[in-house]
């Protein structure tokens, strides 16, 4: 009985897809080879892209050869990703209730004496420096109040400072909430949620110093969560970009969608290792669907480049993109491959528009004067 290379589930003979992750049986071999367990490491697509480059380049292109050592499986080394297109944001993997914003403005705690008031104002100045606020005017007023032991004036300075600081802290808190809410749609954030409530409690009691200290700690916690889940988040975005490209080229990503959805479900449950493993295999399965469509389209772009070069157009930028496609394929970086392909496509379309005359049917016939009777 065969075993699914994506999730490891047994698959009955004659089945069309894995019963758990729904990976199409036709993609089993491609995923198995990319995971490092296949017998063949022959990168046929490298030879294909090398042949495409050689048919249009006037100078010998750099050799695009298979690695001297057996090709590593996609999951046996860290992935290498360029900046992902902004048009493909990471989709939500789970539904998490957003943390609500602040509703009530904090009240200033009452000071219990001159010394307490001076200490509070000094603390506010320190907090203002950490927040990058310009409190120069307050400093001169506070200094004058201290020299004259004017408690009422110093209290007024403290109250005004509190309003400015509370507003700045509230803005910092809102920014941190937005970061948490975005992250919580992808992965669980239980420790960050506890800290958020501690920040809210500090703000509600007017403890701005404690609120800021907890916000800094909360940001460190969110940064750790983001770092822990960074690889999986990038894999989700990579898979979505591949799905989008398959559909743009008229293909059906259906046989490879199952592992992507299974990876998202593992994300939502907080199963990071399982999610990354499944998503990496989903990327390979999606590339297996995209590959024939991709090279058919690339050949059409090649033919158009040859025609453009015959008209005297400098196609050197396109050759740079083609060589980058070859390098990204050699690294098995499918996002880099698609990104370079899109730059190549944009160049071909932009250049073609610039050199081709308008179609005959779009030309406006000259208006002839009507002969006078």
């Amino acid at each position: 009985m065969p075993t699914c290379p994506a999730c490891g589930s047994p698959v009955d003979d004659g089945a069309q897809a894995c019963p758990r992750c729904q990976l199409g049986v036709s993609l089993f071999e491609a995923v198995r080879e990319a995971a490092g367990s296949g017998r063949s490491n022959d990168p046929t697509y490298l030879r294909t892209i090398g042949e495409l480059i050689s048919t249009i380049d006037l100078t010998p292109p750099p050799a695009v050869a298979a690695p001297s050592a057996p090709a590593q499986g996609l999951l046996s080394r860290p992935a290498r990703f360029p900046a992902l297109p902004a048009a493909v944001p990471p989709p939500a993997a789970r539904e998490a209730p957003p943390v609500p914003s602040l509703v009530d403005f904090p009240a200033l705690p009452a000071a219990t004496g001159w010394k307490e008031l001076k200490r509070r104002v000094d603390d506010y100045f320190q907090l203002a420096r950490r927040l990058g606020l310009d409190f120069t005017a307050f400093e001169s007023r506070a200094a004058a109040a201290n020299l004259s032991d004017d408690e009422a004036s110093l209290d007024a300075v403290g109250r005004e400072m509190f309003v400015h600081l509370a507003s700045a802290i509230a803005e910092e808190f809102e920014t941190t909430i937005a970061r948490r809410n975005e992250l919580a749609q992808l992965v669980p954030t239980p420790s960050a949620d506890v800290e958020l409530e501690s920040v809210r409690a500090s703000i509600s009691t007017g403890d701005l110093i404690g609120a800021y200290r907890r916000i800094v700690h909360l940001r460190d916690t969110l940064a750790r969560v983001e770092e822990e889940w960074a690889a999986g988040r990038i894999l989700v975005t990579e898979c979505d970009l591949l799905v989008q490209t398959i559909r743009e080229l008229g293909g059906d990503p259906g046989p490879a969608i199952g592992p992507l959805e299974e990876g998202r479900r593992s994300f939502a449950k907080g199963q990071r290792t399982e999610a990354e493993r499944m998503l990496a295999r989903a990327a390979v399965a999606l590339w297996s669907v995209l590959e024939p469509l991709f090279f058919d389209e690339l050949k059409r772009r090649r033919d158009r480049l040859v025609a453009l070069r015959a008209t005297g157009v400098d196609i050197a930028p396109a050759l740079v993109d083609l060589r980058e496609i070859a390098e990204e394929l050699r690294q098995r970086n499918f996002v880099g491959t698609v990104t370079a392909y899109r730059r190549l496509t944009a160049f071909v379309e932009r250049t073609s528009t610039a050199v081709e005359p308008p179609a005959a049917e779009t030309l406006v016939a000259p208006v002839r004067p009507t002969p006078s009777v």
Side-chain angles (χ1 to χ4, degrees):
M1 179 179 293
T3 301
C4 174
C7 66
S9 300
V11 180
D12 293 335
D13 292 332
Q16 298 298 311
C18 169
R20 176 187 169 192
C21 71
Q22 300 303 310
L23 176 67
V25 171
S26 61
L27 300 176
F28 276 19
E29 187 61 26
V31 176
R32 188 174 290 114
E33 289 179 3
S37 60
R39 292 188 296 270
S40 171
N41 285 311
D42 184 20
T44 55
Y45 50 74
L46 291 184
R47 292 200 303 272
T48 303
I49 186 64
E51 292 167 359
L52 281 169
I53 295 175
S54 66
T55 59
I56 60 173
D57 197 353
L58 296 175
T59 59
V64 183
S68 56
Q72 292 178 299
L74 190 72
L75 307 181
S76 63
R77 60 178 175 81
R80 173 175 162 268
F81 299 106
L84 298 175
V88 188
R94 59 198 299 269
E95 293 184 4
V99 172
S101 301
L102 290 172
V103 178
D104 299 324
F105 198 79
L108 175 67
T112 57
W114 174 253
K115 290 184 179 180
E116 171 66 19
L117 181 58
K118 289 181 64 176
R119 183 195 62 77
R120 176 183 295 175
V121 169
D122 289 340
D123 287 345
Y124 285 173
F125 279 125
Q126 292 182 23
L127 178 57
R129 285 191 288 271
R130 292 172 185 166
L131 291 169
L133 300 178
D134 183 6
F135 273 15
T136 304
F138 290 128
E139 288 174 356
S140 59
R141 289 172 57 191
N146 280 315
L147 285 174
S148 60
D149 291 335
D150 187 347
E151 183 173 343
S153 295
L154 189 62
D155 182 63
V157 170
R159 289 180 179 279
E160 292 181 44
M161 291 173 64
F162 177 83
V163 172
H164 287 277
L165 290 170
S167 178
I169 289 292
E171 185 176 345
E172 296 283 332
F173 186 54
E174 294 299 319
T175 301
T176 308
I177 285 177
R179 182 178 175 186
R180 175 269 173 196
N181 287 343
E182 179 182 356
L183 186 61
Q185 298 305 309
L186 296 168
V187 299
T189 57
S191 58
D193 293 349
V194 172
E195 293 179 26
L196 273 171
E197 291 309 310
S198 297
V199 174
R200 189 186 299 277
S202 296
I203 294 176
S204 66
T205 60
D207 180 13
L208 303 185
I209 308 298
Y212 181 73
R213 184 173 59 250
R214 290 180 174 86
I215 286 175
V216 172
H217 189 266
L218 172 58
R219 287 174 177 168
D220 291 340
T221 299
L222 291 174
R224 286 195 299 271
V225 174
E226 288 173 340
E227 183 177 357
E228 289 173 359
W229 291 85
R233 294 174 68 194
I234 292 174
L235 281 168
V236 170
T237 306
E238 178 187 36
C239 289
D240 282 335
L241 179 61
L242 292 173
V243 169
Q244 177 183 341
T245 307
I246 290 170
R247 288 173 175 155
E248 287 174 354
L249 298 183
D252 176 19
I257 286 289
L260 172 57
E261 298 305 323
E262 188 70 19
R264 283 178 174 162
R265 283 191 287 272
S266 296
F267 245 86
K269 297 175 183 177
Q271 300 168 346
R272 181 166 58 88
T273 302
E274 175 65 15
E276 291 177 3
R277 183 178 71 88
M278 189 65 66
L279 290 169
R281 285 169 165 79
V284 176
L286 288 164
W287 169 254
S288 299
V289 175
L290 175 59
E291 183 182 340
L293 303 169
F294 177 80
F295 279 111
D296 285 346
E297 187 64 23
L298 204 57
K299 289 173 184 175
R300 284 191 285 272
R301 300 297 177 186
R302 183 273 316 271
D303 294 342
R304 186 62 192 138
L305 285 173
V306 171
L308 288 171
R309 189 183 62 185
T311 66
V313 173
D314 179 12
I315 63 170
L319 296 180
V320 172
D321 291 330
L322 274 171
R323 288 186 180 129
E324 184 174 341
I325 291 173
E327 176 60 23
E328 299 293 2
L329 281 173
R330 192 174 70 82
Q331 297 289 335
R332 296 191 182 189
N333 181 4
F334 303 136
V335 167
T337 300
V338 173
T339 303
Y341 158 75
R342 292 190 172 191
R343 285 199 306 269
L344 171 68
T345 297
F347 172 84
V348 172
E349 293 178 351
R350 182 174 62 252
T351 307
S352 298
T353 302
V355 301
E356 290 180 349
E361 58 271 16
T362 65
L363 295 176
V364 179
V367 179
R368 297 180 179 178
T370 304
S372 58
V373 179

